[in-house]
Amino acid sequence: KELIEKINKNNELNIIGSNRYAKALIINSIAKIENKNILLICATSELAYKWYGYFQNINDNNNVQYYPPNDYYPYEKRSKSSEVEFSQLNILTKLINKFNSNNNYIIITTEKALQPHLLKKDYFKKCNLNLFKGKKIEIKDLALKFSDLGYIKEEITTSEGNWSRRGDIIDIFPVNNEVPIRIEFYDNVIDKIREYDAGTQKTLDTVSEINIIQCGSKQKILKELSNLSIDKSFHHDDDGNLERFLGVVEENPSSIIDFISKETYLVTDELEQCMQFTDNLFIDSENNYENQKESLDLILSSN
């Protein structure tokens, strides 16, 4: 009670002298009493995983999430891994849809996730496709929507980012879902939505609705770069990282902070250590930009 009074009076609280698990218990209790979400920032992924384990241990819901930071430095040629991107998209979808739960969320990440690395929040909201039983939509229109969101049509859907069709049945593996989804139509009305096993293709649980988000940022960035290009076609290395040009298509790119509710406690583990890692990230990014500047300028000028 005294700690809550201090937070409300000073808008901050500094907890010193206990181990991280004890701090997790304190933070968790305060947030529950005050009905707040938690965004916890660490210096490293190793520390973030420790905090994730602590909060998982004292919470019985799955609203404890680890938000992975990008696994590359800005301006690097290599792209982020699909595992990192899909994990990010999964959490961003939940944040946009308020986690579809009465429970408050706990997001654990590193200071790197506070840096601008995302398209605008409005774009994610716009691309949040909600499908539910009884919804009227033509199959051909749904197919076009999947294409716009960056999903690739295959004969059979077994991996994230793919979709397929067999008559009045559409399978899709949303990047923000752990298993693929089977959508059955009756005429132009969604009759059933069921999850299924990607390996055996056997149906699992029936769900009333599903949210499908865009399959990464690459397609959107490429589209915007093409619109800016002289011949409306952006030429680049096929294996290049298009997110290097995020600042060209977005004047003010977003970070995880833009998706967080105002009713959230921001918790920083070892603030000075986090600031030091941020300083190091800035220096490394600056050096990396200088090393890549010539090739980046060449790609932009050729377009």
Side-chain angles (χ1 to χ4, degrees):
K1 195 172 179 181
E2 288 177 10
L3 294 177
I4 291 171
E5 288 174 357
K6 284 185 178 182
I7 294 173
N8 293 335
K9 181 181 178 181
N10 303 321
N11 283 327
E12 66 176 351
L13 178 69
N14 193 13
I15 303 176
I16 302 172
S18 58
N19 61 41
R20 286 188 172 90
Y21 187 70
K23 289 174 182 174
L25 288 168
I26 294 169
I27 295 164
N28 195 70
S29 299
I30 292 173
K32 279 191 173 181
I33 292 169
E34 291 293 276
N35 194 28
K36 301 282 189 182
N37 306 300
I38 296 170
L39 174 63
L40 192 146
I41 309 299
C42 310
T44 66
S45 295
E46 289 76 18
L47 286 174
Y49 278 122
K50 285 185 179 180
W51 281 104
Y52 177 76
Y54 298 151
F55 279 105
Q56 280 277 35
N57 193 40
I58 57 181
N59 286 276
D60 295 326
N61 59 70
N62 56 358
N63 283 0
V64 183
Q65 300 285 333
Y66 169 65
Y67 181 87
N70 285 353
D71 50 354
Y72 66 89
Y73 285 110
Y75 311 112
E76 269 193 79
K77 186 174 181 179
R78 68 187 181 100
S79 304
K80 73 174 76 169
S81 67
S82 58
E83 182 182 7
V84 167
E85 180 152 43
F86 293 164
S87 296
Q88 290 178 348
L89 290 170
N90 186 23
I91 293 174
L92 294 175
T93 307
K94 290 180 177 179
L95 290 172
I96 289 171
N97 293 292
K98 313 298 183 187
F99 268 75
N100 292 324
S101 167
N102 294 324
N103 297 316
N104 292 328
Y105 59 75
I106 300 171
I107 306 291
I108 300 164
T109 187
T110 74
E111 50 76 38
K112 201 173 180 183
L114 302 182
Q115 313 304 330
H117 63 284
L118 297 168
L119 291 162
K120 286 290 187 184
K121 181 181 178 181
D122 289 344
Y123 172 70
F124 286 92
K125 280 187 171 182
K126 180 182 175 182
C127 292
N128 185 38
L129 176 62
N130 179 256
L131 300 176
F132 53 87
K133 182 180 178 180
K135 182 182 178 73
K136 283 188 176 183
I137 184 170
E138 297 291 340
I139 293 181
K140 62 179 182 179
D141 293 335
L142 187 59
L144 287 172
K145 187 66 177 176
F146 288 162
S147 179
D148 288 341
L149 293 177
Y151 288 85
I152 298 171
K153 189 176 182 182
E154 300 285 355
E155 289 296 321
I156 300 176
T157 299
T158 57
S159 57
E160 292 103 324
N162 293 335
W163 74 279
S164 55
R165 178 185 176 183
R166 300 185 314 280
D168 291 336
I169 298 175
I170 283 186
D171 291 345
I172 185 168
F173 201 148
V175 297
N176 56 302
N177 209 59
E178 292 182 0
V179 292
I181 298 295
R182 181 158 291 154
I183 305 166
E184 298 179 25
F185 278 81
Y186 180 77
D187 195 15
N188 64 343
V189 177
I190 294 177
D191 186 45
K192 291 179 183 177
I193 303 176
R194 294 187 286 184
E195 296 178 336
Y196 69 91
D197 186 295
T200 64
Q201 295 291 304
K202 290 183 178 180
T203 54
L204 303 171
D205 296 332
T206 299
V207 294
S208 57
E209 66 176 321
I210 183 72
N211 287 294
I212 301 173
I213 202 167
Q214 91 280 8
C215 186
S217 303
K218 181 178 179 179
Q219 184 158 322
K220 170 65 174 176
I221 294 173
L222 180 59
K223 181 179 179 181
E224 294 301 321
L225 289 170
S226 297
N227 290 336
L228 293 171
S229 299
I230 294 172
D231 60 0
K232 300 302 178 185
S233 178
F234 189 76
H235 308 284
H236 64 100
D237 298 329
D238 290 336
D239 60 343
N241 174 17
L242 283 175
E243 290 197 5
R244 293 180 292 174
F245 306 105
L246 178 62
V248 177
V249 301
E250 290 280 16
E251 185 175 352
N252 296 300
S254 296
S255 74
I256 186 68
I257 286 289
D258 296 292
F259 294 80
I260 298 298
S261 162
K262 290 183 178 179
E263 296 300 317
T264 301
Y265 282 135
L266 175 61
V267 183
T268 311
D269 179 24
E270 302 292 349
L271 180 60
E272 290 186 4
Q273 189 180 11
C274 287
M275 292 171 68
Q276 184 60 56
F277 269 80
T278 299
D279 290 341
N280 293 341
L281 174 65
F282 178 82
I283 294 168
D284 290 338
S285 299
E286 194 172 44
N287 291 335
N288 195 36
Y289 173 72
E290 290 301 323
N291 293 333
Q292 300 291 331
K293 185 178 179 181
E294 188 174 334
S295 62
L296 292 170
D297 285 347
L298 186 61
I299 293 173
L300 290 173
S301 61
S302 67
N303 284 280

